[in-house]
């Protein structure tokens, strides 16, 4: 078959050939069976006629007369005509014919087998006589004592039998043609269906495409998930399995089949992501937070190509998943650094105002007052820095909190910090501490700023030999008990729509806590109280940025 032929065309041709072969075989078998049945029926009929003639008393009586032909010839001709036979030959035991369709043959010896009949056994045979090939039966004529007095041979020529069988041939051919037409129509309808579902592609092309697509699915760095209209996952690649925590698929499961599909309900997916995949709605760069990752998901429908008269029909949808965990972590660090930068700008502006005040006092000749003002300002700034560094021994976290103090001051919120124990040997990375503390404090500052005066936020950090406890309390409106679960879900926020980082901070806190094996609880005091407990982690080498920041923070007020 041609390499470019589609599966439908190949199937149609193969079916047509098979049906033709079956038709020829069935037709031949039917004709041979009819022929054999015709010969058997002819033999049985000849045997019945010959037996009836042999049992006729007239025949026995005539066989004892001096001229049997005078009586038996007219009788044989009449029976031959009535029974539509080709010949009836009545003969003596020595083969001498008493009757024959050709009168010249009367008195001549019979051509054929008579030995079984002479022994008293009727028999049938197909042999060639004076009239040509024929089917005949030979029956003995016996008297009262069982002695053979003569023989009766009745038969029909095989040419007449073939004519009778030929009359059945049109029926056999009709059945064969009907079978061929029905099979061809079924093959054509099946071919149209296959042409539609395979888009007219041949098996070689489909095999090549499968190899290419399978290679692409397993080589791309993005996760790919294929979902049907009924919510069944047809396929996901290795990257999707890694990002979503799904069991890796074996090579045999890579082939789309009904046995390989899995329901979304049976996969352990985050609720928001599972809802997106079930709905099939289009999505572009939608952020979803799992217990350990920040994922960016895009989803589009998978459309079946339409013909000139039909529009493309959806067959399911395809979701692409990218891992933005590292990028989000860097973004969180960048926001922390931006907070610190804003605080430094605010401090620079404040120091400029104070410097102008000192310069003005000097110009007014009030040097003693200028010196006293500068000394008190320096002591206050140094005390704040020393208190922070003494309370929190993690340099990066100290730097973050210094920025939060300036941010709180701008919002009109009093931020207080209480620390007990040490974080230096907790094994927790500066990035994780910044993510947890920074987002909790930001959330508390926003809540307190929107509450009634006095507006306060209190941060408490404590450590034990086995864990680190972080508590952030604010005087804001608190958290509705019914919304405790929702507030930790990505996308839930009380901020105005369009706010930067809307609904992501607490989700990142929950993600970090889950990844580190800790716990997070939300209670109420004056406002909301967020309590995070993190187990101590195996110690890691200290990042190079930390001593630098420590030197910066420690040396800025020396």
């Amino acid at each position: 078959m041609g390499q470019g032929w589609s599966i439908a065309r190949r199937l149609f041709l193969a079916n047509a050939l098979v049906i033709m072969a079956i038709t020829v075989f069935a037709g031949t078998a039917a004709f041979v069976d009819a022929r054999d049945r015709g010969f058997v029926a002819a033999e049985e009929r000849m045997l019945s006629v010959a037996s009836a003639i042999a049992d006729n008393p007239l025949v026995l009586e005539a066989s004892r007369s001096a001229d049997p032909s005078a009586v038996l010839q007219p009788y044989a001709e009449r029976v031959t005509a009535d029974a539509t036979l080709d010949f009836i030959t009545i003969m003596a035991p020595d083969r001498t014919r008493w009757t024959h369709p050709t009168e010249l043959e009367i008195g001549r010896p019979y051509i054929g087998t008579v030995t079984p009949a002479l022994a008293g056994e009727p028999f049938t045979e197909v042999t060639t006589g004076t009239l040509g090939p024929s089917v005949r039966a030979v029956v003995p004529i016996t008297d009262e004592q069982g002695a053979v007095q003569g023989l009766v041979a009745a038969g029909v020529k095989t040419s007449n039998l073939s004519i009778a069988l030929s009359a059945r041939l049109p029926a056999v051919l009709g059945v064969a043609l009907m079978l061929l037409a029905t099979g061809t129509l079924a093959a054509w309808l099946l071919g149209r269906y296959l042409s539609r579902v395979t888009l007219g592609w041949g098996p070689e092309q489909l095999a090549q495409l499968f190899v290419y697509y399978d290679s692409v699915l397993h080589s791309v760095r993005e996760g790919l998930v294929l979902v049907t209209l009924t919510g069944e996952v047809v396929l996901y690649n290795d990257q999707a399995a890694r990002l979503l925590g799904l069991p890796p698929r074996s090579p045999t499961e890579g082939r789309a089949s009904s046995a390989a599909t899995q329901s979304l309900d049976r996969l352990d997916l985050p609720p928001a992501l599972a809802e997106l995949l079930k709905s099939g709605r289009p999505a572009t760069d939608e952020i979803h937070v799992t217990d350990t990752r920040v994922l960016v998901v895009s989803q589009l429908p998978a459309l079946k190509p339409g013909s000139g008269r039909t529009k493309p029909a959806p067959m399911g949808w395809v979701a692409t998943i990218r891992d933005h965990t590292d990028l989000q972590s860097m973004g969180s660090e960048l926001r922390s650094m931006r907070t610190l930068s804003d605080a430094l700008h605010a401090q620079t502006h404040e120091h400029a105002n104070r410097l102008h005040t000192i310069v003005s006092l000097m110009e007014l000749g009030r040097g003693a007052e200028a010196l006293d003002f500068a000394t008190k300002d320096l002591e206050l700034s140094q005390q704040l820095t020393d208190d922070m560094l003494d309370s929190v021994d993690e340099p990066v976290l100290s730097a973050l909190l210094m920025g939060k103090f300036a941010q709180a001051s701008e919002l009109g919120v009093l931020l207080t910090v209480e620390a007990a124990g040490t974080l230096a040997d907790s094994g927790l990375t500066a990035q994780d501490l910044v993510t947890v503390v920074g987002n909790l404090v930001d959330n508390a500052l926003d809540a307190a700023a929107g509450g009634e005066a006095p507006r306060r936020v209190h941060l408490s950090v404590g450590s034990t030999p086995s864990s680190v406890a972080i508590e952030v309390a604010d005087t804001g409106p608190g958290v509705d008990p019914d919304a405790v679960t929702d507030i930790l879900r990505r996308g839930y926020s009380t901020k105005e729509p369009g706010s930067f980082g809307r609904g992501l901070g607490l989700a990142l806190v929950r993600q970090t806590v889950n990844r580190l094996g800790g716990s997070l609880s939300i209670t109420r005091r004056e406002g909301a109280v967020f309590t995070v407990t993190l187990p101590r982690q195996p110690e890691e080498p200290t990042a190079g940025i930390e001593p630098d920041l420590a030197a910066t923070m420690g040396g800025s007020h020396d």
Side-chain angles (χ1 to χ4, degrees):
M1 296 184 181
Q3 290 291 324
W5 285 13
S6 65
I7 294 179
R9 179 179 294 183
R10 297 182 188 205
L11 180 64
F12 175 77
L13 183 58
N15 264 358
L17 292 176
V18 170
I19 291 172
M20 288 178 65
I22 293 176
T23 302
V24 171
F25 175 79
T28 303
F31 181 78
V32 171
D33 180 69
R35 183 196 64 187
D36 294 342
R37 288 176 179 272
F39 275 88
V40 171
E43 290 175 349
E44 293 176 351
R45 179 167 168 259
M46 294 305 102
L47 187 60
S48 298
V49 173
S51 298
I53 295 173
D55 292 340
N56 192 336
L58 174 66
V59 176
L60 178 61
E61 182 180 349
S63 65
R64 294 171 176 173
S65 64
D67 187 9
S69 296
V71 177
L72 297 178
Q73 177 66 16
Y75 171 73
E77 290 177 351
R78 188 168 59 253
V79 174
T80 299
D82 293 342
T84 62
L85 305 180
D86 287 321
F87 67 90
I88 295 177
T89 300
I90 304 175
M91 68 196 84
D94 62 357
R95 293 178 177 265
T96 301
R97 295 189 185 103
W98 291 334
T99 66
H100 196 275
T102 304
E103 293 186 2
L104 294 177
E105 296 295 329
I106 297 175
R108 294 181 178 179
Y110 171 77
I111 301 174
T113 303
V114 295
T115 303
L118 291 175
E121 293 293 334
F123 71 93
T124 60
E125 67 174 346
V126 179
T127 187
T128 302
T130 58
L131 300 178
S134 62
V135 178
R136 61 184 65 182
V138 182
V139 179
I141 303 171
T142 59
D143 58 12
E144 294 79 1
Q145 288 76 31
V148 177
Q149 300 296 320
L151 303 172
V152 177
V156 291
K157 293 185 293 185
T158 55
S159 59
N160 292 337
L161 183 60
S162 299
I163 293 173
L165 291 175
S166 298
R168 301 182 184 180
L169 187 59
V172 174
L173 292 177
V175 173
L177 291 176
M178 184 178 299
L179 178 63
L180 178 61
T182 304
T184 302
L185 178 61
W188 179 73
L189 293 176
L190 182 60
R192 286 195 61 185
Y193 166 75
L194 288 176
S195 180
R196 185 171 67 254
V197 299
T198 61
L199 304 179
W201 288 18
E204 292 84 4
Q205 294 171 310
L206 290 176
Q208 188 179 43
L209 283 176
F210 173 80
V211 172
Y212 288 161
Y213 290 168
D214 190 62
S215 299
V216 170
L217 282 175
H218 290 83
S219 63
V220 295
R221 299 183 63 183
E222 292 185 345
L224 292 175
V225 180
L226 281 66
V227 185
T228 65
L229 296 174
T230 58
E232 298 287 329
V233 178
V234 177
L235 184 66
Y236 55 81
N237 63 354
D238 299 337
Q239 182 71 348
R242 185 180 71 84
L243 295 179
L244 300 178
L246 304 177
R249 299 173 69 92
S250 65
T252 56
E253 290 179 323
R255 299 174 176 86
S257 64
S258 59
T261 59
Q262 302 182 56
S263 173
L264 285 170
D265 297 330
R266 296 200 299 267
L267 299 179
D268 187 17
L269 297 176
L273 181 56
E275 184 277 329
L276 172 63
L277 295 178
K278 285 182 181 179
S279 67
R281 60 179 173 83
T284 302
D285 293 342
E286 190 172 292
I287 296 178
H288 290 265
V289 179
T290 68
D291 290 341
T292 58
R293 299 182 184 278
V294 177
L295 304 177
V296 177
V297 183
S298 297
Q299 183 167 265
L300 288 174
L303 300 178
K304 177 183 178 181
S307 61
R309 293 177 294 178
T310 60
K311 295 181 178 180
M315 299 180 65
W317 40 89
V318 179
T320 60
I321 305 172
R322 289 173 289 162
D323 187 5
H324 274 213
T325 304
D326 296 337
L327 183 61
Q328 190 63 48
S329 299
M330 289 188 290
S332 178
E333 293 181 28
L334 178 60
R335 286 194 296 272
S336 299
M337 295 302 103
R338 183 175 296 172
T339 299
L340 179 58
S341 175
D342 292 341
L344 292 177
H345 280 298
Q347 289 179 355
T348 300
H349 185 269
E350 185 68 18
H351 284 311
N353 290 335
R354 293 172 182 176
L355 182 59
H356 291 159
T357 301
I358 294 173
V359 171
S360 298
L361 289 173
M362 294 289 291
E363 290 178 349
L364 294 174
R366 299 182 178 184
E369 295 178 6
L371 180 60
D372 182 62
F373 180 83
T375 302
K376 291 181 179 180
D377 181 65
L378 179 61
E379 290 176 352
L380 182 62
S381 299
Q382 187 64 45
Q383 182 181 359
L384 177 62
T385 301
D386 293 341
D387 290 344
M388 182 57 59
L389 291 176
D390 292 340
S391 299
V392 182
D393 60 353
E394 169 56 56
V396 175
L397 189 58
S398 298
L400 172 69
L401 293 177
M402 289 294 294
K404 297 303 179 184
F405 274 110
Q407 182 180 349
S409 178
E410 292 180 359
L411 294 174
V413 178
L414 175 63
L415 173 62
T416 57
V417 177
E418 177 184 357
T422 177
L423 298 179
D425 58 353
S426 65
L428 297 172
T429 65
Q431 290 82 359
D432 290 336
L433 289 173
V434 166
T435 297
V436 174
V437 175
N439 284 296
L440 289 179
V441 171
D442 282 341
N443 183 75
L445 291 176
D446 288 340
E452 300 290 335
R455 301 176 179 88
R456 299 187 303 274
V457 171
H458 179 71
L459 168 65
S460 174
V461 180
S463 65
T464 66
S466 61
S467 63
V468 172
I470 301 170
E471 181 184 279
V472 178
D474 61 66
T475 57
V479 178
D480 189 342
D482 296 334
V484 169
T485 301
D486 293 334
I487 200 172
L488 298 177
R489 175 171 49 84
R490 190 266 162 191
Y492 183 91
S493 176
T494 58
K495 299 178 184 179
E496 292 296 326
S499 300
F500 178 76
R502 181 176 180 268
L504 187 59
L506 292 179
L508 291 175
V509 172
R510 185 202 63 176
Q511 178 198 79
T512 303
V513 170
N514 290 339
R515 176 167 51 81
L516 297 176
S519 62
L520 169 62
S521 64
I522 304 175
T523 56
R524 183 179 180 86
R525 200 176 297 154
E526 293 182 72
V529 179
F530 290 78
T531 303
V532 172
T533 303
L534 301 175
R536 289 180 175 269
Q537 304 295 316
E539 292 188 11
E540 297 180 359
T542 305
I545 189 175
E546 295 181 9
D548 295 340
L549 282 173
T552 302
M553 293 302 301
S556 61
H557 296 281
D558 286 344

